[in-house]
Amino acid sequence: MTRKRTSPGPKSEPASFLPVSAEELGGVTPDILLVTGDAYLDHPAFGPALLGRMLESRGYTVGMVAQPRWDRPDDIARLGRPRLFAGVTAGALDSMLAHYTAFRKKRRDDAYTPGGRSGNRPNRAVIVYTSIVRQAFPGLPVIIGGIEASLRRASHYDFWEDKLRRSILLDSKADLLVYGMAERAVLELANRLAAFADGDGIDLRGPDSERVRQALRDIPGTAFAAGKGDYFTPVGSDVVALPSHEEILADPLRLMEATLALERQAQAADTWAVQETSGRRVIIAPPSAPLSPEELDALYSLPFTRRSHPSYSEPVPALAMIRFSLTSHRGCGGGCSFCSLTLHQGRRIASRSAESIIKEARRLT
């Protein structure tokens, strides 16, 4: 049965965990499917759980697929075709960092997997998972995000292959990339797609596909690809032209120029960035505004269980490290050259109220 509605409504009793099976969905298909390379930990330190709970609080039905098989689409498809979109993340770490040491040696464990076992996610998980979602649900909008997507949104040096790679948006063929802290962008995306969806949901192979794509092109904190003949131009904003991917390949020193320009764009309030790659353009919208203290307080008051999903028979090592952690703020004003935090979270500090933090600490005890 397909859920037929044009706008979400409030839910009074959120589930203990987000649904991971068709049975838990109670016979309806989800509005949104979140696919992650980590085990499902219902904790606010993990992006899929945080975004899933936030969307759930706004009335959307969210399904979770954690560490799916990547040799066939069975795991992805088991919850049914989502009405609006699928969101894909490699997890809390870049998947290559999760697999290899700084000496490019294969790691023997994975702290984000039950039992600490390695090998439960593919290399370059964002690219692989996006392809599997495409196989399972042709025409469904696929959105990529998280650390792996966010920090690879433009041309970048890949340590593992010792070469320059183009934007992961082009390699994954995703419809949209969300960079940085994603709550505002993902909620806006869900709301806009819900306005287009009919009883059968969004299908980018349909007659309204171009209207849908155009409607997603000005969401702060996102990036999209424009092909040949697509002359999209940001209106009323400054535009930073990054060196093209081919210019960086010809002169690798220009990667630093591109990186510094991208960081400046990430700190600005209304500046776009554009990078040419083989006749296509990666267009990066201005960053999302940081959440206010009131918004952060509401976000971290959502009913997280702070536990791993009960289907796991072995503990997830990462949970032991962060189960009783508290998030007090986001962003960093330091801008250290060895750290990419500001490229992801920005330099503007967003803080929770002291009352909210104390309340959360009391819940933990």
Side-chain angles (χ1 to χ4, degrees):
M1 182 174 71
T2 301
R3 169 161 298 186
K4 296 184 178 181
R5 67 182 186 191
T6 57
S7 61
K11 287 188 174 182
S12 57
E13 296 183 4
S16 296
F17 288 86
L18 298 173
V20 299
S21 67
E23 292 74 22
E24 293 174 31
L25 282 166
V28 299
T29 53
D31 296 315
I32 296 155
L33 188 70
L34 299 180
V35 181
T36 176
D38 292 337
Y40 176 21
L41 301 177
D42 187 43
H43 189 288
F46 292 85
L50 191 68
L51 294 174
R53 288 294 189 188
M54 182 269 295
L55 289 165
E56 179 188 57
S57 73
R58 300 303 182 96
Y60 290 103
T61 300
V62 182
M64 183 75 72
V65 175
Q67 297 188 321
R69 295 185 60 148
W70 60 91
D71 57 342
R72 59 177 187 245
D74 301 32
D75 285 351
I76 298 288
R78 68 172 182 258
L79 278 76
R81 182 186 176 94
R83 191 173 70 100
L84 302 180
F85 69 90
V88 170
T89 176
L93 292 178
D94 184 294
S95 57
M96 299 301 287
L97 181 60
H99 283 169
Y100 300 98
T101 71
F103 295 100
R104 298 187 178 91
K105 302 295 184 182
K106 195 73 178 286
R107 296 185 189 274
R108 286 179 272 186
D109 56 9
D110 184 339
Y112 298 91
T113 298
R117 289 184 303 277
S118 63
N120 275 35
R121 77 184 91 205
N123 286 347
R124 310 198 186 282
V126 165
I127 296 173
V128 175
Y129 288 157
T130 300
S131 176
I132 296 297
V133 173
R134 293 274 194 227
Q135 292 180 42
F137 309 118
L140 180 73
V142 183
I143 316 304
I144 59 175
I147 289 289
E148 183 168 304
S150 182
L151 298 186
R152 295 173 180 263
R153 60 188 182 266
S155 296
H156 55 279
Y157 172 67
D158 185 84
F159 173 81
W160 317 106
E161 292 186 343
D162 189 24
K163 75 174 193 179
L164 293 165
R165 290 180 65 100
R166 63 181 186 170
S167 168
I168 196 172
L169 185 62
L170 300 177
D171 285 340
S172 68
K173 299 180 176 61
D175 296 293
L176 199 71
L177 181 153
V178 176
Y179 70 89
M181 308 308 285
E183 290 87 4
R184 289 194 191 282
V186 167
L187 183 59
E188 180 65 18
L189 169 70
N191 289 341
R192 291 192 187 189
L193 287 177
F196 277 100
D198 57 19
D200 295 322
I202 299 292
D203 188 338
L204 292 180
R205 300 167 300 175
D208 291 333
S209 60
E210 190 56 34
R211 290 178 57 223
V212 173
R213 288 191 175 95
Q214 293 294 332
L216 303 181
R217 286 188 160 193
D218 63 346
I219 299 176
T222 67
F224 60 91
K228 295 178 181 179
D230 187 339
Y231 301 110
F232 173 87
T233 302
V235 177
S237 300
D238 294 330
V239 179
V240 173
L242 306 181
S244 73
H245 185 67
E246 288 71 29
E247 288 173 334
I248 297 173
L249 287 175
D251 180 6
L253 290 178
R254 299 203 69 183
L255 178 64
M256 180 58 71
E257 177 188 340
T259 302
L260 292 174
L262 188 64
E263 183 170 328
R264 287 193 294 271
Q265 185 265 346
Q267 311 317 322
D270 61 352
T271 301
W272 293 69
V274 178
Q275 183 176 47
E276 298 275 350
T277 302
S278 301
R280 305 185 69 193
R281 292 180 298 157
V282 173
I283 301 176
I284 305 172
S288 293
L291 297 182
S292 67
E294 294 77 17
E295 290 170 320
L296 282 172
D297 289 354
L299 189 63
Y300 286 94
S301 68
L302 295 174
F304 299 97
T305 64
R306 290 179 172 262
R307 293 186 285 120
S308 58
H309 193 269
S311 63
Y312 301 137
S313 59
E314 297 175 283
V316 181
L319 183 61
M321 293 185 285
I322 55 84
R323 183 172 183 181
F324 299 106
S325 65
L326 298 173
T327 298
S328 62
H329 69 281
R330 295 175 174 180
C332 178
C336 301
S337 61
F338 58 82
C339 179
S340 58
L341 178 64
T342 57
L343 195 59
H344 185 66
Q345 292 192 4
R347 292 193 182 183
R348 290 174 286 178
I349 307 299
S351 301
R352 293 170 61 186
S353 69
E355 294 77 12
S356 172
I357 296 171
I358 292 170
K359 186 178 180 179
E360 185 177 4
R362 286 174 175 159
R363 286 201 304 270
L364 296 181
T365 57

